[in-house]
Amino acid sequence: MGRIAEEYGTLVFNDHTMQELLPSATYKALSKTIKQGKPLDIEVANVVAHAMKEWAVAHGATHYTHWFQPLSGITSEKHDAFLDPQKDGRAIMTFSGKALIQGEPDASSFPSGGVRATFEARGYTAWDPTSYAFIKDEVLCIPTAFCSYTGEALDKKTPLLRSMEAVSKQACQVLGLFGQDVPRVTTTVGAEQEYFLIREEDYEQRQDLMLTGRTLFGAPPCKGQELEEHYFGAIRPTVNEFMKELDEELWKLGVAAKTKHNEVAPCQHELAPMFTISNVAIDHNLLTMELMRTIASRHGLVCLQHEKPFAGVNGSGKHNNWSIATDHENLLDPGKTPASNLRFLVFLTAVVEAVDDYQDLLRIAVASAGNDHRLGANEAPPAVVSMFLGDELDRVVQAIITGEEEKTVDAVYMDLGVDVLPSFERDNTDRNRTSPFAFTGNKFEFRMPGSQINLADANTILNTIVAKSLKNFCEAVDGADDFEKAAFSWVRATLTAHQRIIFNGDGYTDEWIEEAKRRGLLNLKSTVDAAPHMLDPKNIALFKEFGVFNEVENHARYEVKLETYAKLINIEGQTMSHMTKRKIVPAVSAYAEQIADTINAKKQANSKLKPKADLKLLEKLNDGANDIAEELEELDEALEKAQATEDALEKARVYHDEVLAAMGRLRTVCDEMEGIVSTKAWPMPTYNKILFYC
Ligand code: ADP
Ligand code: MG
C-alpha cells in the first residue's frame, strides 16, 4: 500500500504539484480558472507552461502534445519536441503559454461530418485545465478540446464540457430554491470497462480480429460460459501480471483503478476505477483503454475492446455510473431527513422525466456497429430504454403516484419522508442486472454503452436531458407561495406522467419487449434505426436551448455516426469476402481433395471396401463449398450495392439490411465447414483454441 501511495499521480501535473511548483499568485489564478471555468490569462499561462515543462523534463519527457478526442472518439496526439535550437549550435527546451493554451493540429484528416466543408478548414485545440496534464511515454499530454475556427465543436469533449455547464447551472438554480447557495454542481462518472485478453499468436493468425476487432467466423466452442466458472474466478498468472502492471501504470497517471476481476465469458475481464468528475473520468477511461492495449502486448497478449469479439459468448460493455453532486454532497443520495429527501425526490424525478422524454437520445449515444451485436441479445440490456429503481424506491414512487386523494400533499409527503425513506436500504437496489438504467443506491448506472465507445456522448446527453428537466422543475414552481408543496406536486405530476419508463422486471424477456411496446416505449433495434432521431426537432431544440450543439454540430454528428457505421460494416464485409476466398475456400477444397485421395487409396488397396464415411464427408464438403460460393457471391453483390449508394442513411441501411445479413449467412455455412474440416487443415485458430488457454 505504501508504494501505491508514493507512486500515485507521480506522472500528473496535479493540484499538489501545481501548489509546489507554481508561484502562489499563478497558482491562485490557475485554480480560479479551474474551479470557475474562467479564461486563462496569457501571462499566467506562460508561467504555468514553464513550470509544467520543467517538471515534465525532470520526469523524462522530451515532447508535448495536445491530447484530444475527435469525432472518431479515439484520442489523437501529435508530438512536438520541447526542443528550441539556438544560433550557437546548442539547443534549449522551451514551452510557451501560447503552446499550452492552444494548438493547431492539421484538422483535415479527422471526421467532421461536413462542418469543415461548411466553414473553415482549420481547427484548433484548447486546453481543458479541469483535466490535469500527464506524462505518457515521455510525452507531456495536455487534455484539450478541439474546435473549428468558427467555434463549432469538432470533438467529443467540447459538448461534454458544455453539458456539464448546462446541468450545473440548472442544478444550482434548483438548489437555490432549496435555500442552498452553491456556485457549481458537477456530474460524476465511474466507468466499468470490460475487455478480452487473448494470446498474440492466435490474434496474428486471425485477419478478422486484426482488421475489424471481432471474429467474423468461428463455430461455437465445445465449452462456452455455461459452467459460470469464469466470473470472479481465480485470475490466471499471465493475466494477473498484465493486471498488476496496468494498475501500476494507471496509478502513476492518477487513474484510480480500484476493482479488477474476471467477467462472465472465458478470457473476459473488467476494470473499474473510483468515480470522478465526468470529463476527467472520460479522459481516464480513454487512457485506461490505451494502456490496456499497449501493456497487453508486453505480456504476449492482445486486448480486445470490441463489443462482440466472439459470437455465442458474452460481449463487452462499459457501465456508466452517473451522479450529480456539489463539492460535498451527492444529490442522488436519498439521505435521512425529510427536507433533503424532497430535494432527492426532485433530482430523482428529473432523471425519470429526462430518460423518458429522451429515450431516443440515450439509445443514439450508445449506437454503434459493434454495440448493435449486444443490445437486445440477452446478455446486455435490451434496445428499449427503461429505468429500474429497486423495490424500496419503487414503493416510494408508487406511494407518491397513488397517494390517496383525501390526504393532503403535505400529509403524503410527511408520510413518505418519515416512514419510507429512512428505511431505504441501499444494498437492496442493485440486483437487477438486466436494466439499461438502474438506480444503484446513490447513483444511476447506465448499462447500455459498449466497451469500445467514448462515454462523452452518453454523458453529454445525460447531462443535457437532466438540465432540461431541472429547468422544467424551476419553471413549474416559479412564484409558488408554498415552495415545498409546489415542489411535491411537480414530483407527483411528473412521476405520474412518466411512470411508463420505470420497469423493475427482467429486461431480457420477450414479454417485456411486448409490454414496452404497449407502454409506447421506443425500440430502436439498430444504429440505423436510432440515428435518424438525432434530427428530430425536439432533440435539435434541446441541444440548442442549452448551447450544447447548434444545428450544424448536431447534423455533423449524425453524418459521422452513419458514415462510421457504413465504413465499419464495409471493412467487415470486405475482410470476410477476402478471408473466404483466400483461406476458407482453399482449405475446404484441399481437405475435400485429401478425402477424395483417401477414398481412391482405399479402393485401390481393396476394391471391396466401401468408404461410406469418407464419401459422406466428401459430399458434405462439396455441398459446403457450393453453399459458400453462393453466399459469397451474394455478399459481394451486397457490398457493391452498398458502396454505390450515395445517400448516407440509405447507404447505412443497405449495409445493415443486406451486407450484414449476407455476412450472417456466409458465416453460417463457413462455420459448418469448420466443424468438419480437420484442425490441421483449417486455416485459422478456432474458438476452442483462442478462448481457452492458460
Ligand atoms: P458494480 O456493482 O456495478 O459492479 P460498484 O458498486 O463496484 O459496481 O461500482 C461501480 C462504479 O460506480 C465504480 O466505478 C464506482 O466508483 C462508481 N460510483 C460510485 N459512486 C458513484 C457516484 N456517486 N457517481 C458516479 N459513479 C459512482
Ligand atoms: Mg456495474
Side-chain angles (χ1 to χ4, degrees):
M1 275 316 279
R3 199 165 49 103
I4 299 183
E6 251 169 56
E7 296 207 341
Y8 190 81
T10 45
L11 295 179
V12 186
F13 197 71
N14 56 23
D15 192 59
H16 177 76
T17 313
M18 289 187 215
Q19 275 194 61
E20 221 171 60
L21 300 181
L22 294 176
S24 81
T26 310
Y27 173 74
K28 270 192 204 134
L30 183 60
S31 295
K32 206 162 165 185
T33 301
I34 295 173
K35 288 206 184 90
Q36 296 170 10
K38 292 261 151 66
L40 192 63
D41 187 273
I42 185 72
E43 306 288 309
V44 178
N46 277 330
V47 181
V48 176
H50 177 75
M52 220 184 233
K53 182 223 32 181
E54 293 287 296
W55 168 84
V57 169
H59 283 82
T62 52
H63 290 67
Y64 70 91
T65 183
H66 279 199
W67 190 72
F68 63 103
Q69 302 161 32
L71 294 185
S72 60
I74 324 160
T75 54
S76 296
E77 43 192 85
K78 177 192 79 174
H79 304 168
D80 280 304
F82 290 121
L83 187 76
D84 186 3
Q86 301 293 295
K87 285 207 181 88
D88 63 2
R90 290 176 311 145
I92 55 169
M93 307 279 259
T94 55
F95 184 44
S96 68
K98 192 163 162 282
L100 166 64
I101 301 181
Q102 197 162 310
E104 225 177 309
D106 174 13
S108 57
S109 302
F110 295 109
S112 77
V115 170
R116 264 196 320 273
T118 330
F119 294 96
E120 163 71 70
R122 288 175 310 155
Y124 70 92
T125 52
W127 184 29
D128 164 18
T130 57
S131 184
Y132 299 130
F134 57 90
I135 298 170
K136 178 171 66 78
D137 276 341
E138 302 177 357
V139 177
L140 171 69
C141 299
I142 301 150
T144 49
F146 179 36
C147 296
S148 77
Y149 266 98
T150 40
E152 275 76 23
L154 291 171
D155 69 346
K156 304 263 179 191
K157 186 188 265 261
T158 309
L160 174 71
L161 293 173
R162 291 175 183 165
S163 75
M164 290 168 70
E165 272 305 311
V167 74
S168 172
K169 188 170 156 219
Q170 300 305 326
C172 287
Q173 248 165 45
V174 172
L175 293 177
L177 294 170
F178 279 95
Q180 283 179 274
D181 181 16
V182 173
R184 201 179 168 85
V185 163
T186 53
T187 48
T188 50
V189 167
E192 300 166 60
Q193 178 72 44
E194 291 181 342
Y195 60 96
F196 280 82
L197 284 178
I198 64 166
R199 275 188 307 206
E200 209 159 43
E201 62 191 71
D202 292 333
Y203 177 82
E204 282 166 356
Q205 290 178 62
R206 299 272 326 204
Q207 214 166 22
D208 47 2
L209 279 176
M210 290 174 66
L211 297 180
T212 72
R214 74 176 179 109
T215 52
L216 300 169
F217 305 95
C222 303
K223 171 182 166 181
Q225 59 195 42
E226 61 274 43
L227 293 179
E228 295 174 351
E229 85 270 53
H230 196 254
Y231 189 58
F232 282 17
I235 299 170
R236 286 167 300 175
T238 3
V239 172
N240 208 13
E241 286 307 308
F242 158 85
M243 286 180 168
K244 272 203 274 192
E245 190 178 337
L246 178 62
D247 275 344
E248 279 170 23
E249 295 290 318
L250 287 172
W251 290 332
K252 284 187 213 160
L253 288 168
V255 179
K258 185 142 168 72
T259 313
K260 51 186 179 185
H261 58 81
N262 286 348
E263 258 299 331
V264 173
C267 289
Q268 193 186 26
H269 315 279
E270 178 182 301
L271 181 143
M274 273 290 292
F275 71 94
T276 180
I277 174 169
S278 305
N279 58 324
V280 176
I282 289 160
D283 286 353
H284 282 182
N285 176 250
L286 292 165
L287 207 47
T288 303
M289 289 170 74
E290 183 183 328
L291 287 189
M292 280 176 170
R293 294 191 298 267
T294 50
I295 292 173
S297 69
R298 291 182 209 149
H299 296 266
L301 300 168
V302 173
C303 178
L304 303 178
Q305 292 168 348
H306 191 281
E307 280 82 4
K308 194 72 180 175
F310 303 100
V313 297
N314 272 14
S316 299
K318 174 150 56 196
H319 293 171
N320 187 88
N321 294 273
W322 178 92
S323 194
I324 176 165
T326 67
D327 64 357
H328 65 283
E329 258 186 314
N330 178 353
L331 297 169
L332 285 177
D333 195 329
K336 293 214 162 146
T337 59
S340 54
N341 284 343
L342 180 58
R343 190 187 71 189
F344 164 73
L345 288 175
V346 167
F347 279 92
L348 175 80
T349 304
V351 181
V352 171
E353 180 182 62
V355 174
D356 187 32
D357 279 345
Y358 297 99
Q359 300 158 42
D360 47 357
L361 286 180
L362 287 169
R363 175 66 186 89
I364 289 163
V366 300
S368 69
N371 214 21
D372 278 359
H373 296 287
R374 282 177 72 241
L375 300 178
N378 279 8
E379 58 165 62
V384 179
V385 177
S386 69
M387 291 173 92
F388 169 83
L389 297 180
D391 290 345
E392 310 259 345
L393 200 50
D394 198 46
R395 255 193 337 167
V396 176
V397 168
Q398 290 314 319
I400 292 173
I401 291 173
T402 57
E404 298 127 63
E405 284 303 321
E406 63 270 24
K407 277 195 182 175
T408 63
V409 167
D410 275 346
V412 175
Y413 162 52
M414 287 310 288
D415 273 2
L416 284 169
V418 177
D419 299 339
V420 185
L421 284 180
S423 68
F424 188 86
E425 298 248 353
R426 183 171 303 174
D427 289 344
N428 282 344
T429 55
D430 181 29
R431 294 306 152 228
N432 184 336
R433 294 267 158 195
T434 67
S435 174
F437 203 97
F439 185 72
T440 51
N442 58 2
K443 63 184 190 301
F444 277 98
E445 184 169 351
F446 184 33
R447 300 198 177 111
M448 291 171 101
S451 48
Q452 204 164 208
I453 233 159
N454 179 324
L455 286 177
D457 290 349
N459 287 286
T460 298
I461 284 166
L462 255 172
N463 297 341
T464 311
I465 64 181
V466 172
K468 173 74 178 166
S469 297
L470 293 174
K471 191 173 174 198
N472 290 346
F473 169 76
C474 291
E475 283 166 5
V477 300
D478 185 39
D481 293 337
D482 183 337
F483 165 70
E484 291 206 348
K485 208 162 164 176
F488 191 76
S489 294
W490 178 82
V491 166
R492 181 191 265 174
T494 308
L495 287 176
T496 308
H498 295 282
Q499 55 184 310
R500 65 172 184 169
I501 197 74
I502 299 170
F503 174 65
N504 289 309
D506 184 351
Y508 290 177
T509 62
D510 294 339
E511 289 79 51
W512 164 235
I513 301 304
E514 281 305 308
E515 164 71 14
K517 201 168 163 188
R518 277 194 295 278
R519 292 189 189 190
L521 299 178
L522 288 169
N523 185 3
L524 303 170
K525 293 197 182 101
S526 72
T527 302
V528 185
D529 295 326
H533 287 276
M534 286 172 89
L535 304 183
D536 287 357
K538 78 164 180 45
N539 295 334
I540 294 176
L542 170 85
F543 289 129
K544 220 168 166 177
E545 181 177 355
F546 292 95
V548 172
F549 294 128
N550 62 30
E551 208 164 334
V552 173
E553 291 169 323
N554 189 53
H555 202 271
R557 277 148 187 84
Y558 165 76
E559 291 281 332
V560 170
K561 185 155 286 248
L562 291 176
E563 205 179 278
T564 309
Y565 179 85
K567 282 181 183 162
L568 286 174
I569 308 286
N570 189 54
I571 295 171
E572 289 187 354
Q574 290 189 153
T575 305
M576 197 164 191
S577 170
H578 180 85
M579 286 174 75
T580 307
K581 288 172 195 149
R582 314 255 316 194
K583 287 187 179 286
I584 295 179
V585 167
V588 174
S589 288
Y591 191 57
E593 189 183 334
Q594 194 186 324
I595 301 300
D597 286 349
T598 309
I599 295 168
N600 289 336
K602 283 184 179 176
K603 282 191 173 160
Q604 226 167 39
N606 179 347
S607 61
K608 284 191 196 127
L609 278 185
K610 289 203 175 66
K612 269 207 287 199
D614 296 315
L615 281 166
K616 209 167 166 183
L617 178 57
L618 183 61
E619 198 180 324
K620 275 192 192 163
L621 289 167
N622 190 57
D623 289 350
N626 290 340
D627 290 345
I628 290 175
E630 226 169 86
E631 299 299 352
L632 185 59
E633 209 177 302
E634 290 197 15
L635 173 60
D636 285 345
E637 277 169 19
L639 275 168
E640 262 177 48
K641 179 174 169 190
Q643 285 157 1
T645 307
E646 290 287 331
D647 176 73
L649 180 59
E650 189 47 37
K651 192 184 187 84
R653 245 189 244 293
V654 177
Y655 276 108
H656 177 268
D657 296 350
E658 299 184 34
V659 176
L660 264 184
M663 285 168 64
R665 292 193 303 269
L666 177 58
R667 177 180 185 144
T668 305
V669 288
C670 290
D671 289 356
E672 270 165 26
M673 290 301 100
E674 185 197 303
I676 58 170
V677 170
S678 81
T679 310
K680 241 186 172 163
W682 196 248
M684 61 191 106
T686 61
Y687 279 19
N688 279 325
K689 179 166 186 295
I690 301 173
L691 288 170
F692 301 92
Y693 63 91
C694 294

